[in-house]
Amino acid sequence: MTRTILSSIFVAALIGYCSAFAPSQSSVRETSLSMAPRFDKTSEKWITDVPEEMEGSSYGPIGTLYRAGPKPFFTRIFNPDTYDQAVLKYMAQDGCDRKEAQGNMDAFLENPQDWGFQKVSEQNGAYKKDYANA
């Protein structure tokens, strides 16, 4: 299993390296990623201008408590900026909406090993777990 994971990482790195020499499709990227959260290098934070992606636009801390339990709930209460930055980063990297990103972040904070195992299983063809509506 470890060999499979390592070979998958190697193939992904090779594809990324090879795509660096492909011609740029800036018009496609601008339209598909213009709405995604972006990293502001001056403030070193993830930001968004879209109201549907801002903090408070999805479920609140009680929703986190209901979906994932006390660990992510307390993280969200005592470290709200760190939590929000993690959600925005997940949204930007995965290309999902805020509710799905919050569900995944809550599941990760509750049990990182199970969440990681589920993500690897999804990449290998298993069903995609819906953490947002759990």
Side-chain angles (χ1 to χ4, degrees):
M1 180 162 178
T2 305
R3 187 178 180 131
T4 305
I5 293 172
L6 289 175
S7 60
S8 298
I9 292 171
F10 175 75
V11 170
L14 183 63
I15 291 171
Y17 178 76
C18 292
S19 66
F21 298 102
S24 174
Q25 296 179 349
S26 61
S27 62
V28 173
R29 286 189 180 171
E30 287 175 16
T31 56
S32 64
L33 293 178
S34 64
M35 302 295 282
R38 59 195 179 285
F39 188 73
D40 182 18
K41 292 180 182 180
T42 57
S43 67
E44 296 185 357
K45 291 190 174 212
W46 289 91
I47 58 170
T48 183
D49 297 329
V50 181
E52 293 85 24
E53 295 176 351
M54 292 184 178
E55 186 176 7
S57 62
S58 186
Y59 59 85
I62 299 301
T64 295
L65 180 63
Y66 176 72
R67 286 173 174 82
K71 283 186 204 175
F73 172 75
F74 287 121
T75 300
R76 190 167 176 183
I77 294 297
F78 294 116
N79 297 318
D81 189 52
T82 304
Y83 178 85
D84 190 51
Q85 287 297 300
V87 169
L88 290 173
K89 183 177 179 180
Y90 190 89
M91 289 169 63
Q93 291 177 342
D94 204 50
C96 62
D97 65 348
R98 184 170 188 91
K99 187 174 182 181
E100 183 178 342
Q102 278 187 234
N104 276 279
M105 189 52 51
D106 292 344
F108 173 79
L109 292 170
E110 176 59 28
N111 190 333
Q113 290 82 15
D114 284 352
W115 180 85
F117 178 77
Q118 178 64 33
K119 290 298 168 187
V120 170
S121 297
E122 288 174 11
Q123 291 173 352
N124 292 330
Y127 76 97
K128 183 176 180 182
K129 188 167 182 176
D130 185 9
Y131 290 109
N133 298 311

PDB file of all heavy atoms in Angstrom, residues 55 60-65 69-84 106 109:
ATOM      1  N   GLU A  55     -17.038  34.328   5.910  1.00  0.00           N
ATOM      2  CA  GLU A  55     -17.348  33.706   7.191  1.00  0.00           C
ATOM      3  C   GLU A  55     -18.785  34.022   7.582  1.00  0.00           C
ATOM      4  O   GLU A  55     -19.256  35.135   7.449  1.00  0.00           O
ATOM      5  CB  GLU A  55     -16.388  34.219   8.261  1.00  0.00           C
ATOM      6  CG  GLU A  55     -16.544  33.532   9.588  1.00  0.00           C
ATOM      7  CD  GLU A  55     -15.506  34.009  10.597  1.00  0.00           C
ATOM      8  OE1 GLU A  55     -14.765  34.946  10.311  1.00  0.00           O
ATOM      9  OE2 GLU A  55     -15.477  33.411  11.675  1.00  0.00           O
ATOM     10  N   GLY A  60     -23.117  27.776  11.304  1.00  0.00           N
ATOM     11  CA  GLY A  60     -22.369  28.369  12.407  1.00  0.00           C
ATOM     12  C   GLY A  60     -21.710  27.339  13.305  1.00  0.00           C
ATOM     13  O   GLY A  60     -21.705  26.139  13.002  1.00  0.00           O
ATOM     14  N   PRO A  61     -21.181  27.783  14.446  1.00  0.00           N
ATOM     15  CA  PRO A  61     -20.491  26.881  15.373  1.00  0.00           C
ATOM     16  C   PRO A  61     -21.381  25.748  15.896  1.00  0.00           C
ATOM     17  O   PRO A  61     -20.898  24.638  16.124  1.00  0.00           O
ATOM     18  CB  PRO A  61     -20.052  27.796  16.517  1.00  0.00           C
ATOM     19  CG  PRO A  61     -19.958  29.149  15.901  1.00  0.00           C
ATOM     20  CD  PRO A  61     -21.028  29.185  14.850  1.00  0.00           C
ATOM     21  N   ILE A  62     -22.680  26.013  16.074  1.00  0.00           N
ATOM     22  CA  ILE A  62     -23.579  24.946  16.537  1.00  0.00           C
ATOM     23  C   ILE A  62     -23.689  23.860  15.476  1.00  0.00           C
ATOM     24  O   ILE A  62     -23.758  22.662  15.786  1.00  0.00           O
ATOM     25  CB  ILE A  62     -24.965  25.518  16.907  1.00  0.00           C
ATOM     26  CG1 ILE A  62     -24.837  26.537  18.053  1.00  0.00           C
ATOM     27  CG2 ILE A  62     -25.940  24.413  17.276  1.00  0.00           C
ATOM     28  CD1 ILE A  62     -24.234  25.979  19.328  1.00  0.00           C
ATOM     29  N   GLY A  63     -23.670  24.256  14.195  1.00  0.00           N
ATOM     30  CA  GLY A  63     -23.648  23.270  13.112  1.00  0.00           C
ATOM     31  C   GLY A  63     -22.395  22.426  13.149  1.00  0.00           C
ATOM     32  O   GLY A  63     -22.425  21.228  12.883  1.00  0.00           O
ATOM     33  N   THR A  64     -21.280  23.039  13.502  1.00  0.00           N
ATOM     34  CA  THR A  64     -20.022  22.303  13.653  1.00  0.00           C
ATOM     35  C   THR A  64     -20.131  21.306  14.804  1.00  0.00           C
ATOM     36  O   THR A  64     -19.727  20.152  14.676  1.00  0.00           O
ATOM     37  CB  THR A  64     -18.857  23.277  13.900  1.00  0.00           C
ATOM     38  OG1 THR A  64     -18.685  24.091  12.743  1.00  0.00           O
ATOM     39  CG2 THR A  64     -17.565  22.542  14.193  1.00  0.00           C
ATOM     40  N   LEU A  65     -20.693  21.751  15.917  1.00  0.00           N
ATOM     41  CA  LEU A  65     -20.870  20.865  17.065  1.00  0.00           C
ATOM     42  C   LEU A  65     -21.770  19.687  16.709  1.00  0.00           C
ATOM     43  O   LEU A  65     -21.470  18.538  17.038  1.00  0.00           O
ATOM     44  CB  LEU A  65     -21.462  21.645  18.251  1.00  0.00           C
ATOM     45  CG  LEU A  65     -21.713  20.870  19.536  1.00  0.00           C
ATOM     46  CD1 LEU A  65     -20.392  20.349  20.106  1.00  0.00           C
ATOM     47  CD2 LEU A  65     -22.413  21.756  20.556  1.00  0.00           C
ATOM     48  N   GLY A  69     -18.799  17.286  16.423  1.00  0.00           N
ATOM     49  CA  GLY A  69     -18.482  17.107  17.831  1.00  0.00           C
ATOM     50  C   GLY A  69     -17.728  18.263  18.456  1.00  0.00           C
ATOM     51  O   GLY A  69     -17.561  19.324  17.856  1.00  0.00           O
ATOM     52  N   PRO A  70     -17.240  18.048  19.680  1.00  0.00           N
ATOM     53  CA  PRO A  70     -16.671  19.150  20.454  1.00  0.00           C
ATOM     54  C   PRO A  70     -15.290  19.632  20.005  1.00  0.00           C
ATOM     55  O   PRO A  70     -14.985  20.809  20.146  1.00  0.00           O
ATOM     56  CB  PRO A  70     -16.607  18.595  21.878  1.00  0.00           C
ATOM     57  CG  PRO A  70     -16.585  17.120  21.714  1.00  0.00           C
ATOM     58  CD  PRO A  70     -17.372  16.831  20.474  1.00  0.00           C
ATOM     59  N   LYS A  71     -14.438  18.761  19.470  1.00  0.00           N
ATOM     60  CA  LYS A  71     -13.091  19.200  19.087  1.00  0.00           C
ATOM     61  C   LYS A  71     -13.120  20.339  18.065  1.00  0.00           C
ATOM     62  O   LYS A  71     -12.538  21.398  18.308  1.00  0.00           O
ATOM     63  CB  LYS A  71     -12.272  18.036  18.539  1.00  0.00           C
ATOM     64  CG  LYS A  71     -11.741  17.097  19.575  1.00  0.00           C
ATOM     65  CD  LYS A  71     -10.822  16.103  18.868  1.00  0.00           C
ATOM     66  CE  LYS A  71     -10.691  14.820  19.602  1.00  0.00           C
ATOM     67  NZ  LYS A  71      -9.905  13.852  18.833  1.00  0.00           N
ATOM     68  N   PRO A  72     -13.751  20.157  16.911  1.00  0.00           N
ATOM     69  CA  PRO A  72     -13.780  21.265  15.950  1.00  0.00           C
ATOM     70  C   PRO A  72     -14.606  22.450  16.443  1.00  0.00           C
ATOM     71  O   PRO A  72     -14.313  23.593  16.106  1.00  0.00           O
ATOM     72  CB  PRO A  72     -14.379  20.655  14.690  1.00  0.00           C
ATOM     73  CG  PRO A  72     -14.976  19.386  15.099  1.00  0.00           C
ATOM     74  CD  PRO A  72     -14.321  18.941  16.356  1.00  0.00           C
ATOM     75  N   PHE A  73     -15.616  22.186  17.268  1.00  0.00           N
ATOM     76  CA  PHE A  73     -16.428  23.267  17.833  1.00  0.00           C
ATOM     77  C   PHE A  73     -15.559  24.206  18.663  1.00  0.00           C
ATOM     78  O   PHE A  73     -15.584  25.428  18.478  1.00  0.00           O
ATOM     79  CB  PHE A  73     -17.561  22.680  18.678  1.00  0.00           C
ATOM     80  CG  PHE A  73     -18.332  23.710  19.460  1.00  0.00           C
ATOM     81  CD1 PHE A  73     -19.242  24.542  18.833  1.00  0.00           C
ATOM     82  CD2 PHE A  73     -18.141  23.843  20.826  1.00  0.00           C
ATOM     83  CE1 PHE A  73     -19.957  25.495  19.557  1.00  0.00           C
ATOM     84  CE2 PHE A  73     -18.845  24.786  21.560  1.00  0.00           C
ATOM     85  CZ  PHE A  73     -19.766  25.608  20.923  1.00  0.00           C
ATOM     86  N   PHE A  74     -14.759  23.654  19.573  1.00  0.00           N
ATOM     87  CA  PHE A  74     -13.908  24.486  20.413  1.00  0.00           C
ATOM     88  C   PHE A  74     -12.794  25.150  19.604  1.00  0.00           C
ATOM     89  O   PHE A  74     -12.415  26.295  19.888  1.00  0.00           O
ATOM     90  CB  PHE A  74     -13.340  23.684  21.588  1.00  0.00           C
ATOM     91  CG  PHE A  74     -14.367  23.387  22.638  1.00  0.00           C
ATOM     92  CD1 PHE A  74     -14.676  22.086  22.981  1.00  0.00           C
ATOM     93  CD2 PHE A  74     -15.042  24.421  23.269  1.00  0.00           C
ATOM     94  CE1 PHE A  74     -15.643  21.813  23.950  1.00  0.00           C
ATOM     95  CE2 PHE A  74     -16.002  24.160  24.240  1.00  0.00           C
ATOM     96  CZ  PHE A  74     -16.308  22.850  24.579  1.00  0.00           C
ATOM     97  N   THR A  75     -12.285  24.462  18.601  1.00  0.00           N
ATOM     98  CA  THR A  75     -11.297  25.089  17.718  1.00  0.00           C
ATOM     99  C   THR A  75     -11.913  26.295  17.028  1.00  0.00           C
ATOM    100  O   THR A  75     -11.296  27.356  16.936  1.00  0.00           O
ATOM    101  CB  THR A  75     -10.796  24.088  16.667  1.00  0.00           C
ATOM    102  OG1 THR A  75     -10.196  22.977  17.321  1.00  0.00           O
ATOM    103  CG2 THR A  75      -9.795  24.733  15.727  1.00  0.00           C
ATOM    104  N   ARG A  76     -13.125  26.138  16.576  1.00  0.00           N
ATOM    105  CA  ARG A  76     -13.814  27.232  15.889  1.00  0.00           C
ATOM    106  C   ARG A  76     -14.129  28.395  16.826  1.00  0.00           C
ATOM    107  O   ARG A  76     -14.066  29.553  16.432  1.00  0.00           O
ATOM    108  CB  ARG A  76     -15.100  26.688  15.266  1.00  0.00           C
ATOM    109  CG  ARG A  76     -15.743  27.652  14.347  1.00  0.00           C
ATOM    110  CD  ARG A  76     -16.810  26.997  13.528  1.00  0.00           C
ATOM    111  NE  ARG A  76     -17.447  28.016  12.719  1.00  0.00           N
ATOM    112  CZ  ARG A  76     -18.458  27.807  11.923  1.00  0.00           C
ATOM    113  NH1 ARG A  76     -18.945  26.584  11.804  1.00  0.00           N
ATOM    114  NH2 ARG A  76     -18.988  28.777  11.227  1.00  0.00           N
ATOM    115  N   ILE A  77     -14.439  28.095  18.083  1.00  0.00           N
ATOM    116  CA  ILE A  77     -14.764  29.145  19.058  1.00  0.00           C
ATOM    117  C   ILE A  77     -13.505  29.893  19.506  1.00  0.00           C
ATOM    118  O   ILE A  77     -13.484  31.119  19.557  1.00  0.00           O
ATOM    119  CB  ILE A  77     -15.478  28.537  20.287  1.00  0.00           C
ATOM    120  CG1 ILE A  77     -16.849  27.974  19.892  1.00  0.00           C
ATOM    121  CG2 ILE A  77     -15.615  29.549  21.410  1.00  0.00           C
ATOM    122  CD1 ILE A  77     -17.825  28.993  19.367  1.00  0.00           C
ATOM    123  N   PHE A  78     -12.440  29.152  19.823  1.00  0.00           N
ATOM    124  CA  PHE A  78     -11.251  29.775  20.396  1.00  0.00           C
ATOM    125  C   PHE A  78     -10.217  30.233  19.368  1.00  0.00           C
ATOM    126  O   PHE A  78      -9.353  31.040  19.692  1.00  0.00           O
ATOM    127  CB  PHE A  78     -10.599  28.838  21.418  1.00  0.00           C
ATOM    128  CG  PHE A  78     -11.469  28.614  22.619  1.00  0.00           C
ATOM    129  CD1 PHE A  78     -11.979  27.362  22.917  1.00  0.00           C
ATOM    130  CD2 PHE A  78     -11.805  29.667  23.456  1.00  0.00           C
ATOM    131  CE1 PHE A  78     -12.787  27.153  24.026  1.00  0.00           C
ATOM    132  CE2 PHE A  78     -12.617  29.482  24.561  1.00  0.00           C
ATOM    133  CZ  PHE A  78     -13.112  28.219  24.840  1.00  0.00           C
ATOM    134  N   ASN A  79     -10.275  29.718  18.151  1.00  0.00           N
ATOM    135  CA  ASN A  79      -9.356  30.118  17.077  1.00  0.00           C
ATOM    136  C   ASN A  79     -10.135  30.397  15.793  1.00  0.00           C
ATOM    137  O   ASN A  79      -9.918  29.725  14.776  1.00  0.00           O
ATOM    138  CB  ASN A  79      -8.308  29.034  16.818  1.00  0.00           C
ATOM    139  CG  ASN A  79      -7.427  28.779  17.998  1.00  0.00           C
ATOM    140  OD1 ASN A  79      -6.997  29.710  18.656  1.00  0.00           O
ATOM    141  ND2 ASN A  79      -7.158  27.508  18.276  1.00  0.00           N
ATOM    142  N   PRO A  80     -11.044  31.359  15.808  1.00  0.00           N
ATOM    143  CA  PRO A  80     -11.899  31.560  14.632  1.00  0.00           C
ATOM    144  C   PRO A  80     -11.134  31.975  13.376  1.00  0.00           C
ATOM    145  O   PRO A  80     -11.483  31.545  12.278  1.00  0.00           O
ATOM    146  CB  PRO A  80     -12.867  32.651  15.073  1.00  0.00           C
ATOM    147  CG  PRO A  80     -12.202  33.355  16.193  1.00  0.00           C
ATOM    148  CD  PRO A  80     -11.348  32.322  16.862  1.00  0.00           C
ATOM    149  N   ASP A  81     -10.074  32.768  13.517  1.00  0.00           N
ATOM    150  CA  ASP A  81      -9.323  33.199  12.338  1.00  0.00           C
ATOM    151  C   ASP A  81      -8.571  32.031  11.704  1.00  0.00           C
ATOM    152  O   ASP A  81      -8.563  31.876  10.481  1.00  0.00           O
ATOM    153  CB  ASP A  81      -8.361  34.333  12.690  1.00  0.00           C
ATOM    154  CG  ASP A  81      -7.741  34.941  11.453  1.00  0.00           C
ATOM    155  OD1 ASP A  81      -8.502  35.308  10.528  1.00  0.00           O
ATOM    156  OD2 ASP A  81      -6.501  35.043  11.395  1.00  0.00           O
ATOM    157  N   THR A  82      -7.963  31.199  12.530  1.00  0.00           N
ATOM    158  CA  THR A  82      -7.246  30.029  12.026  1.00  0.00           C
ATOM    159  C   THR A  82      -8.215  29.081  11.323  1.00  0.00           C
ATOM    160  O   THR A  82      -7.912  28.564  10.251  1.00  0.00           O
ATOM    161  CB  THR A  82      -6.534  29.291  13.180  1.00  0.00           C
ATOM    162  OG1 THR A  82      -5.675  30.215  13.839  1.00  0.00           O
ATOM    163  CG2 THR A  82      -5.743  28.109  12.677  1.00  0.00           C
ATOM    164  N   TYR A  83      -9.379  28.877  11.917  1.00  0.00           N
ATOM    165  CA  TYR A  83     -10.397  28.017  11.321  1.00  0.00           C
ATOM    166  C   TYR A  83     -10.837  28.577   9.969  1.00  0.00           C
ATOM    167  O   TYR A  83     -10.902  27.854   8.970  1.00  0.00           O
ATOM    168  CB  TYR A  83     -11.591  27.900  12.264  1.00  0.00           C
ATOM    169  CG  TYR A  83     -12.731  27.074  11.723  1.00  0.00           C
ATOM    170  CD1 TYR A  83     -12.744  25.695  11.867  1.00  0.00           C
ATOM    171  CD2 TYR A  83     -13.798  27.669  11.069  1.00  0.00           C
ATOM    172  CE1 TYR A  83     -13.791  24.928  11.369  1.00  0.00           C
ATOM    173  CE2 TYR A  83     -14.842  26.916  10.568  1.00  0.00           C
ATOM    174  CZ  TYR A  83     -14.840  25.550  10.721  1.00  0.00           C
ATOM    175  OH  TYR A  83     -15.867  24.800  10.220  1.00  0.00           O
ATOM    176  N   ASP A  84     -11.132  29.872   9.916  1.00  0.00           N
ATOM    177  CA  ASP A  84     -11.589  30.489   8.680  1.00  0.00           C
ATOM    178  C   ASP A  84     -10.511  30.435   7.600  1.00  0.00           C
ATOM    179  O   ASP A  84     -10.817  30.185   6.432  1.00  0.00           O
ATOM    180  CB  ASP A  84     -12.013  31.939   8.938  1.00  0.00           C
ATOM    181  CG  ASP A  84     -12.710  32.546   7.738  1.00  0.00           C
ATOM    182  OD1 ASP A  84     -13.664  31.910   7.222  1.00  0.00           O
ATOM    183  OD2 ASP A  84     -12.307  33.639   7.309  1.00  0.00           O
ATOM    184  N   ASP A 106     -14.153  20.405   9.564  1.00  0.00           N
ATOM    185  CA  ASP A 106     -14.672  19.876  10.829  1.00  0.00           C
ATOM    186  C   ASP A 106     -14.315  18.403  10.994  1.00  0.00           C
ATOM    187  O   ASP A 106     -13.896  17.973  12.065  1.00  0.00           O
ATOM    188  CB  ASP A 106     -16.188  20.064  10.903  1.00  0.00           C
ATOM    189  CG  ASP A 106     -16.595  21.520  11.018  1.00  0.00           C
ATOM    190  OD1 ASP A 106     -15.737  22.358  11.350  1.00  0.00           O
ATOM    191  OD2 ASP A 106     -17.783  21.810  10.766  1.00  0.00           O
ATOM    192  N   LEU A 109     -10.579  18.130  11.752  1.00  0.00           N
ATOM    193  CA  LEU A 109     -10.251  18.502  13.129  1.00  0.00           C
ATOM    194  C   LEU A 109     -10.736  17.458  14.131  1.00  0.00           C
ATOM    195  O   LEU A 109     -10.111  17.268  15.173  1.00  0.00           O
ATOM    196  CB  LEU A 109     -10.844  19.874  13.458  1.00  0.00           C
ATOM    197  CG  LEU A 109     -10.212  21.049  12.717  1.00  0.00           C
ATOM    198  CD1 LEU A 109     -11.033  22.309  12.938  1.00  0.00           C
ATOM    199  CD2 LEU A 109      -8.775  21.258  13.143  1.00  0.00           C
TER     200      LEU A 109
END
